[in-house]
Amino acid sequence: MKSLTYPASEKIYVSGKIYPELRVAMRRVSQHPTVTVTDGHRNERPNAPVTLYDTSGPYTDTAYVHDIKVGLPRHREIQIEKRGDTMQLDQLSSAYGRMREADKSLDTIRFPKRYQPRVAFPGKRVTQMHYARKGIITPEMEYVAIRENLDNEARGIISHITPEFVRDEVAAGRAVIAANINHPEAEPMIIGRAFSVKINTNIGNSALSSGMEEEVEKAMWSCYWGGDTLMDLSTGDNIHETREWIIRNCPVPVGTVPIYQALEKVGGRVADLTWEIYRDTLIEQCEQGVDYFTIHAGVRREHAALIESRLTGCVSRGGSIMTQWCVLHNAENFLYTHFDEICEILNRYDVAISLGDGMRPGSINDANDRSQFLELDILGELAQRAWEHDVQVMIEGPGHVPMHKIAENMERELSSCHEAPFYTLGPLTTDIAPGYDHITSAIGAANIAALGTAMLCYVTPKEHLSLPTLEDVREGVITYKIAAHAADIAKGYPGAEVRDYALSLARYEFRWKDQFALALDPERARDYYIESRRNAPDADDRFCTMCGPNFCAMRISQNIAEQCDK
Amino acid sequence: MKSLTYPASEKIYVSGKIYPELRVAMRRVSQHPTVTVTDGHRNERPNAPVTLYDTSGPYTDTAYVHDIKVGLPRHREIQIEKRGDTMQLDQLSSAYGRMREADKSLDTIRFPKRYQPRVAFPGKRVTQMHYARKGIITPEMEYVAIRENLDNEARGIISHITPEFVRDEVAAGRAVIAANINHPEAEPMIIGRAFSVKINTNIGNSALSSGMEEEVEKAMWSCYWGGDTLMDLSTGDNIHETREWIIRNCPVPVGTVPIYQALEKVGGRVADLTWEIYRDTLIEQCEQGVDYFTIHAGVRREHAALIESRLTGCVSRGGSIMTQWCVLHNAENFLYTHFDEICEILNRYDVAISLGDGMRPGSINDANDRSQFLELDILGELAQRAWEHDVQVMIEGPGHVPMHKIAENMERELSSCHEAPFYTLGPLTTDIAPGYDHITSAIGAANIAALGTAMLCYVTPKEHLSLPTLEDVREGVITYKIAAHAADIAKGYPGAEVRDYALSLARYEFRWKDQFALALDPERARDYYIESRRNAPDADDRFCTMCGPNFCAMRISQNIAEQCDK
């Protein structure tokens, strides 16, 4: 596996105050001093290091040696045990899971290490929301409070984020900490509009995809570039085993769409889907450690006919599957009718629900239509039902929405869904740029996030066309980091501008290496620069070839400053 | 030279009603029929062709044969002659121009064909604004009215755009038709917030750059992908000759920053710049056919010290040059003091002024600061002065501006600059993504354009790092076409959604070729798709590999529709 590091960076760990044993991981980027020459004397003014939010997990800790067959350290395990409300199981609760486990032919592709799954004692709820409502600040809550603040305190930046605030936001349903008790490898993070904007990346193998190492590498890659959560949308025969490899090696929360696997189990025949198969799939995945499920429970039989009035019908995979099921059986969506049972399963593992937007518009023509907003109202009802079971909830949204219709989405979500965190795909602000939909959607994503969307589902350049390659994933993640960060700044998020300030100062002072180290993609920035200087390696570096030395405004600017000072 | 064509497209020419001899060029994209099969019968429903705005000039007309040494047809020449207010000169009015012309050593690189420059009769003003204020609808005005509307009338789309409306907007200074009488090759286009959002691309050779063909190819390339105007920021020894090649072969208005060439003429020594050299440069370029000049006349001596309070000083090249000049001479900016003379030169050729924003913020920290807005107020004064001379004016703006500070820029521009068209670089909404600044800025560009900015200056991925390659230009242009189009839709611009609708319908009906032909970048969309299907060439094409056949929501959607209908 490729080793991943960030330039000029070290991993630091910050302890908690309530829980001193916490080790909240951050990335610290060192900076070169500013050098000036006055009357022949060289003066150096040091530049403080910059602390950055770090989604890469232990992989970028140079002191850490990873074994993909063992997985990441299970650092949350002790905290979970200490709570004393869970038990370890002797065997898997899912019939399908047990069947796969018993199948010797799978030994070669199985994750070698076997961890016993954990579940709440009967009648217990073990969700972060449950604890928050009881007034408890969990280690996860303190972790995210520290993580969100970075070094704000040291910089004297006033922040509203405290462990108490985190608890209250989770208790109110305005924020989600997706942290399955069976995924103790993950570093806690929080999704809510009072916090920094997060991004989700999708990975998914195809039926043709190769080894498990490759799947894990994709996950690492996404985390390395800055993905805050990871949805595993894999299909194919060995979806169960693949998922195990990914979760055991994944430092960020993992989400899935269980209906995809359920459909695989019935050979792709929508009509054959049943609540029982779906239920067993939920339990199977809860015990593997999936942190949140996309559930298309808002798709209703009575609304199926509405999609005929649309230009592009239903473009949500889960939504189209459930709609078809409803129509074929002329029956209500079993995810809707069994929603309380689903919640009672999930609150024993602390798996969050991401209520799927089956009626996401697939073209700007269909944006904000009746299908979409009727479903949103239903998602609001379901959110309240989930909260009755102490299950954490997010609401999925957008798709293709033109700029002038974005605000209405956010406003309606807040009112219909009682401020549950909004989690949107893009939105794409025009349909006319296949091959560039990371960009059409980054425009929409930045806007909707600035208005309060808590997490953005990334879009790659290959959207609508094919599966993304690793390079597409990188392009998609960086594009969405840009959108999320632009929104954080627009929101006035505490400390958001620190990185911009430091990078701009480095740029102005021609500290190129510092500029690259602080860039979202240090490698690309450096490569572009180096390539352009190939013909002039010995030239002084107080300019870039964009303008050339005689026309470098920054250089002239500094001369002006010197002249003004004289 | 590479031949450039658009797939499934033909060039069409629409005649005028006031001026029947006009041939307004557009691109018409044909569509395949929609095929359905009912009870074994194959039914075809034709799909109307889609008419698109076309910036590529005659190059994409398959009936046209281009000779780079002759240049494009000078179709506006007759119109200009007919007005009877101009004369052809026997010799160039610029001393520098005459010197270059007399230099035999330049014969090998000189554009072979010699067209006599044209100038207004003494005392005459020949600007579109002058005509508009007299109540005249010029051929250029009718041309842009037809061009902006495409096939709206045939589609029954109500539009506010008529030749009379164009005239009134130009008369009021709210729109600019940059159309130098010495650039009769250019197809008229309009820049104003009541019209579709335009994009400008910058090309510029470096000192090392090679032949003239390559320079012309860059210009064609930008027009092919959708650039509405082209700024030639070339430097180096043969800037005069290079410009001649570009203008004679360029179907869109060309802009320059004359101070760059003036500085070359004094060997890069800012202190040696003089009004006389600058004045001669203006005349030289007016007679070559430059359609608009960026002039940094708003930079004032008294404001120079303000840039010291900034994080990144002055990042406008022209702004930093003029500021340095003011400081070195402790004198007022000669572009400011000679502004009326400049206008009296320009109104004899109809060259528009783009008032440069020397105090553009170079980091989000510096956005909306005193330097920037003081200058904006001065630009507003200058705009009014230009209008007194019937000179058309745009106002340059942004740079690095976070999302929450964008609206103030637009509002202040409208009030301080009396609704003169705003022409902005980006803005970049964060500083932290060198290598991806086409994206950081597309977010800002779409937002500011939706608020009323008339033209967007593109940014390529290489911004801050090096000169863009042809591929970077393509990436930058497409990115900005996305931003401009997203803004047109947000503005409710008449007919803007036609292309989105047609492409989405093609997508939904799996008419892949139609989807590609309608895409902003047909080639890339097709390449991504084809690449992904390489392993399954014989498979049916009613899905893409992003989701695979079993999970294609659109396919399922269509099945649902059929089931619902039964």
Side-chain angles (χ1 to χ4, degrees):
Chain A
M1 193 152 328
K2 204 153 93 176
S3 112
L4 297 170
T5 56
Y6 297 119
S9 300
E10 65 171 327
K11 183 81 79 180
I12 60 165
Y13 296 94
V14 180
S15 308
K17 284 175 184 159
I18 307 170
Y19 300 97
E21 69 275 21
L22 288 182
R23 297 181 78 228
V24 182
M26 297 176 190
R27 173 179 159 205
R28 189 155 67 184
V29 184
S30 62
Q31 298 285 285
H32 290 87
T34 299
V35 179
T36 50
V37 180
T38 318
D39 301 328
H41 290 285
R42 185 188 153 91
N43 305 302
E44 286 198 359
R45 182 176 49 76
N47 287 298
V50 180
T51 305
L52 302 180
Y53 194 100
D54 187 353
T55 57
S56 63
Y59 294 108
T60 51
D61 185 339
T62 48
Y64 173 75
V65 181
H66 185 61
D67 182 347
I68 188 179
K69 293 178 179 167
V70 174
L72 289 166
R74 296 165 69 85
H75 58 88
R76 271 180 64 232
E77 202 155 46
I78 296 171
Q79 302 162 10
I80 294 163
E81 258 174 24
K82 267 195 191 163
R83 287 198 268 259
D85 49 8
T86 57
M87 57 188 179
Q88 267 190 329
L89 295 168
D90 296 334
Q91 63 166 3
L92 301 176
S93 310
S94 146
Y96 181 84
R98 289 194 300 272
M99 185 188 83
R100 298 296 290 191
E101 198 170 42
D103 187 341
K104 292 283 171 205
S105 76
L106 297 173
D107 284 355
T108 52
I109 59 163
R110 207 190 308 278
F111 185 75
K113 190 122 171 98
R114 169 77 153 83
Y115 297 105
Q116 295 304 111
R118 188 177 283 281
V119 67
F121 287 129
K124 289 280 181 197
R125 295 172 174 184
V126 296
T127 70
Q128 294 291 323
M129 185 177 222
H130 171 75
Y131 303 130
R133 285 172 160 182
K134 291 215 171 304
I136 298 166
I137 294 171
T138 61
E140 289 85 351
M141 294 172 199
E142 189 182 27
Y143 192 104
V144 300
I146 295 168
R147 193 174 192 185
E148 291 285 315
N149 275 316
L150 301 171
D151 58 355
N152 281 342
E153 201 181 327
R155 289 181 183 271
I157 294 171
I158 294 162
S159 167
H160 59 277
I161 294 159
T162 59
E164 291 73 18
F165 179 79
V166 169
R167 177 194 61 200
D168 297 346
E169 290 291 294
V170 171
R174 283 192 296 265
V176 165
I177 298 175
N180 186 333
I181 56 172
N182 289 307
H183 189 196
E185 298 91 348
E187 294 171 357
M189 51 76 72
I190 192 159
I191 301 162
R193 79 179 195 284
F195 302 94
S196 64
V197 177
K198 304 302 187 295
I199 70 163
N200 171 70
T201 72
N202 296 328
I203 61 165
N205 63 357
S206 63
L208 303 165
S209 155
S210 48
M212 297 297 174
E213 270 210 26
E214 193 184 316
E215 297 306 313
V216 173
E217 197 156 337
K218 276 188 210 168
M220 277 175 54
W221 183 252
S222 146
C223 299
Y224 174 77
W225 290 110
D228 291 288
T229 69
L230 181 84
M231 289 199 79
D232 173 18
L233 306 181
S234 297
T235 53
D237 287 341
N238 302 319
I239 187 168
H240 177 88
E241 288 69 29
T242 309
R243 190 185 306 120
E244 187 73 22
W245 281 90
I246 291 172
I247 293 173
R248 298 285 73 82
N249 287 287
C250 189
V252 304
V254 173
T256 64
V257 189
I259 199 77
Y260 295 174
Q261 190 185 3
L263 188 61
E264 296 273 354
K265 290 177 181 174
V266 296
R269 289 176 303 274
V270 171
D272 293 354
L273 281 170
T274 64
W275 159 244
E276 288 69 29
I277 287 167
Y278 187 82
R279 183 181 178 280
D280 192 71
T281 306
L282 287 185
I283 294 169
E284 170 199 347
Q285 299 194 14
C286 283
E287 294 191 357
Q288 283 191 299
V290 174
D291 299 283
Y292 66 91
F293 292 143
T294 290
I295 302 183
H296 297 89
V299 169
R300 300 286 298 273
R301 170 66 188 97
E302 57 178 329
H303 299 152
L306 283 178
I307 68 171
E308 281 195 80
S309 67
R310 291 186 137 186
L311 176 60
T312 46
C314 167
V315 297
S316 148
R317 282 196 261 173
S320 64
I321 293 166
M322 293 320 299
T323 302
Q324 190 170 34
W325 189 91
C326 292
V327 171
L328 290 171
H329 291 279
N330 195 18
E332 188 53 274
N333 179 352
F334 61 76
L335 301 175
Y336 182 82
T337 54
H338 290 273
F339 192 72
D340 293 295
E341 284 171 79
I342 292 173
C343 293
E344 280 304 309
I345 296 168
L346 270 50
N347 68 14
R348 297 188 69 200
Y349 302 93
D350 198 8
V351 177
I353 295 178
S354 186
L355 285 166
D357 55 338
M359 297 304 144
R360 181 170 72 231
S363 55
I364 60 167
N365 181 78
D366 295 346
N368 296 20
D369 72 352
R370 203 166 125 77
S371 290
Q372 190 194 335
F373 286 146
L374 272 177
E375 185 187 38
L376 190 65
D377 291 341
I378 298 167
L379 300 187
E381 290 168 37
L382 293 169
Q384 286 188 310
R385 272 165 68 187
W387 289 338
E388 284 167 20
H389 300 275
D390 288 341
V391 172
Q392 304 185 88
V393 180
M394 323 185 255
I395 309 292
E396 296 188 10
H400 292 238
V401 182
M403 290 174 78
H404 62 298
K405 292 189 175 174
I406 288 175
E408 188 186 1
N409 277 274
M410 191 69 227
E411 288 154 14
R412 281 191 182 244
E413 193 274 343
L414 289 175
S415 62
S416 295
C417 301
H418 322 287
E419 303 189 66
F422 207 18
Y423 165 30
T424 67
L425 180 84
L428 289 72
T429 52
T430 162
D431 308 340
I432 67 169
Y436 296 82
D437 279 326
H438 58 312
I439 298 173
T440 63
S441 67
I443 293 168
N447 276 290
I448 206 162
L451 295 170
T453 289
M455 184 155 77
L456 302 168
C457 183
Y458 90 156
V459 172
T460 79
K462 296 276 169 67
E463 183 80 14
H464 299 114
L465 298 168
S466 84
L467 269 180
T469 61
L470 281 179
E471 273 311 298
D472 296 323
V473 169
R474 171 182 177 180
E475 189 87 17
V477 173
I478 298 292
T479 301
Y480 270 68
K481 294 301 278 186
I482 289 169
H485 187 71
D488 281 340
I489 292 169
K491 281 163 60 172
Y493 195 66
E497 290 189 28
V498 168
R499 188 174 187 174
D500 296 77
Y501 190 96
L503 187 144
S504 288
L505 185 60
R507 176 177 284 158
Y508 189 64
E509 294 178 348
F510 300 104
R511 286 184 279 114
W512 291 101
K513 283 183 184 169
D514 293 350
Q515 184 186 156
F516 303 149
L518 289 167
L520 280 180
D521 186 341
E523 233 176 87
R524 178 166 298 183
R526 192 193 53 216
D527 289 352
Y528 282 173
Y529 174 77
I530 288 175
E531 190 193 326
S532 74
R533 300 298 296 255
R534 204 177 289 150
N535 296 325
D538 300 327
D540 107 47
D541 59 1
R542 286 169 58 85
F543 69 93
C544 85
T545 57
M546 184 176 162
C547 302
N550 291 333
F551 288 99
C552 177
M554 287 197 174
R555 186 174 174 144
I556 296 175
S557 243
Q558 289 169 29
N559 295 343
I560 296 168
E562 284 161 26
Q563 286 151 359
C564 284
D565 286 345
K566 274 176 190 166
Chain B
M1 191 149 330
K2 205 153 93 176
S3 111
L4 296 171
T5 56
Y6 297 120
S9 299
E10 64 171 327
K11 181 81 78 179
I12 59 165
Y13 296 95
V14 180
S15 309
K17 284 175 185 159
I18 307 170
Y19 299 98
E21 69 275 21
L22 287 181
R23 295 182 78 227
V24 183
M26 298 176 188
R27 173 178 159 208
R28 189 156 65 184
V29 184
S30 62
Q31 298 284 285
H32 290 86
T34 299
V35 178
T36 51
V37 179
T38 319
D39 301 331
H41 291 285
R42 184 187 153 91
N43 306 302
E44 286 198 2
R45 181 176 49 76
N47 287 298
V50 181
T51 305
L52 302 181
Y53 195 101
D54 187 353
T55 57
S56 63
Y59 294 108
T60 52
D61 185 338
T62 48
Y64 174 75
V65 180
H66 186 61
D67 182 347
I68 187 179
K69 292 178 180 168
V70 175
L72 289 167
R74 295 165 70 84
H75 59 86
R76 270 180 65 233
E77 202 155 47
I78 296 172
Q79 302 162 10
I80 295 163
E81 260 174 25
K82 268 194 192 163
R83 286 198 269 258
D85 49 7
T86 58
M87 56 188 178
Q88 266 190 329
L89 295 169
D90 296 333
Q91 62 165 5
L92 300 175
S93 311
S94 147
Y96 181 83
R98 289 193 301 271
M99 186 190 83
R100 298 296 290 190
E101 199 170 40
D103 187 341
K104 292 281 171 206
S105 75
L106 298 172
D107 284 354
T108 52
I109 59 162
R110 205 190 309 278
F111 184 74
K113 192 127 170 91
R114 168 79 153 82
Y115 296 105
Q116 295 303 111
R118 188 176 282 280
V119 67
F121 287 128
K124 290 279 181 195
R125 295 173 175 183
V126 297
T127 70
Q128 295 290 321
M129 184 177 224
H130 171 75
Y131 303 130
R133 285 172 161 183
K134 292 216 172 303
I136 298 166
I137 294 171
T138 61
E140 290 85 350
M141 295 173 199
E142 189 183 26
Y143 191 105
V144 300
I146 295 168
R147 193 175 192 185
E148 291 285 315
N149 274 317
L150 300 171
D151 59 356
N152 280 344
E153 200 181 328
R155 288 182 183 271
I157 295 171
I158 293 162
S159 167
H160 59 278
I161 294 159
T162 60
E164 291 74 17
F165 179 79
V166 169
R167 178 195 59 202
D168 296 346
E169 289 293 293
V170 171
R174 284 192 297 265
V176 165
I177 298 175
N180 186 333
I181 55 172
N182 289 308
H183 188 199
E185 299 91 348
E187 296 171 355
M189 51 77 71
I190 192 160
I191 301 162
R193 80 180 196 282
F195 303 94
S196 64
V197 177
K198 304 302 187 295
I199 71 162
N200 172 70
T201 72
N202 296 329
I203 62 166
N205 64 356
S206 64
L208 302 166
S209 154
S210 48
M212 297 298 172
E213 271 209 26
E214 193 186 316
E215 297 307 314
V216 173
E217 198 158 337
K218 276 189 208 165
M220 277 175 53
W221 183 252
S222 146
C223 298
Y224 175 77
W225 290 111
D228 291 289
T229 69
L230 181 84
M231 288 199 80
D232 173 18
L233 306 181
S234 297
T235 53
D237 288 340
N238 302 319
I239 188 170
H240 176 88
E241 288 69 30
T242 309
R243 190 186 304 120
E244 187 74 23
W245 282 89
I246 291 172
I247 293 174
R248 298 285 74 83
N249 287 287
C250 188
V252 304
V254 173
T256 64
V257 189
I259 200 76
Y260 296 173
Q261 190 185 2
L263 188 61
E264 296 273 355
K265 290 177 181 174
V266 295
R269 289 175 303 275
V270 172
D272 293 353
L273 281 170
T274 64
W275 159 244
E276 288 68 29
I277 287 167
Y278 186 81
R279 181 179 178 281
D280 192 71
T281 306
L282 287 185
I283 293 169
E284 170 199 347
Q285 298 195 13
C286 283
E287 294 191 357
Q288 283 191 299
V290 173
D291 300 284
Y292 67 91
F293 292 144
T294 291
I295 301 182
H296 297 88
V299 169
R300 300 287 298 273
R301 170 66 187 98
E302 57 180 330
H303 299 152
L306 283 178
I307 69 172
E308 280 195 82
S309 66
R310 291 185 138 187
L311 175 60
T312 46
C314 168
V315 297
S316 148
R317 283 196 260 172
S320 64
I321 292 165
M322 292 319 300
T323 303
Q324 191 171 32
W325 189 91
C326 292
V327 171
L328 289 171
H329 291 279
N330 195 18
E332 189 53 275
N333 180 352
F334 60 76
L335 301 174
Y336 182 81
T337 54
H338 290 272
F339 192 71
D340 293 296
E341 285 171 78
I342 292 173
C343 293
E344 281 303 309
I345 295 167
L346 270 50
N347 67 14
R348 297 188 69 201
Y349 303 94
D350 199 7
V351 177
I353 295 178
S354 184
L355 284 166
D357 55 337
M359 296 306 144
R360 181 171 71 230
S363 55
I364 60 167
N365 181 77
D366 294 345
N368 297 19
D369 72 351
R370 203 167 125 77
S371 291
Q372 190 193 335
F373 286 146
L374 272 178
E375 185 188 37
L376 190 64
D377 291 341
I378 297 166
L379 300 188
E381 291 168 37
L382 293 169
Q384 286 188 311
R385 273 165 67 188
W387 289 339
E388 285 167 20
H389 301 274
D390 288 342
V391 172
Q392 304 186 85
V393 180
M394 320 185 258
I395 308 293
E396 296 188 9
H400 292 236
V401 182
M403 289 174 78
H404 62 297
K405 292 189 175 175
I406 288 176
E408 189 187 2
N409 277 274
M410 192 68 228
E411 288 155 13
R412 280 190 184 245
E413 193 275 342
L414 289 175
S415 61
S416 295
C417 301
H418 323 288
E419 303 190 66
F422 207 18
Y423 165 30
T424 67
L425 180 84
L428 290 73
T429 51
T430 163
D431 308 339
I432 67 170
Y436 296 82
D437 279 326
H438 58 313
I439 298 173
T440 63
S441 67
I443 294 168
N447 276 290
I448 205 162
L451 294 171
T453 288
M455 185 155 77
L456 303 168
C457 183
Y458 90 156
V459 172
T460 79
K462 296 275 168 67
E463 182 80 14
H464 299 114
L465 298 168
S466 86
L467 268 181
T469 61
L470 282 179
E471 274 310 300
D472 296 323
V473 169
R474 172 182 175 177
E475 190 88 16
V477 173
I478 299 291
T479 302
Y480 270 68
K481 293 302 279 186
I482 290 169
H485 186 72
D488 281 339
I489 292 169
K491 281 163 60 172
Y493 194 66
E497 289 190 29
V498 167
R499 188 174 187 172
D500 296 77
Y501 190 95
L503 188 144
S504 288
L505 185 60
R507 178 177 281 157
Y508 190 64
E509 293 179 348
F510 300 104
R511 286 185 279 116
W512 290 101
K513 284 184 183 168
D514 294 349
Q515 185 186 156
F516 303 150
L518 289 167
L520 280 180
D521 187 340
E523 232 176 89
R524 179 166 297 182
R526 192 194 53 216
D527 289 352
Y528 283 173
Y529 175 76
I530 288 175
E531 190 192 325
S532 75
R533 300 299 294 258
R534 204 176 291 151
N535 296 325
D538 300 327
D540 104 48
D541 58 1
R542 287 170 55 86
F543 69 94
C544 86
T545 57
M546 183 175 163
C547 303
N550 291 333
F551 288 99
C552 177
M554 288 199 174
R555 186 174 173 143
I556 296 175
S557 244
Q558 289 169 28
N559 296 341
I560 296 168
E562 285 161 25
Q563 286 152 1
C564 283
D565 286 344
K566 275 175 191 169

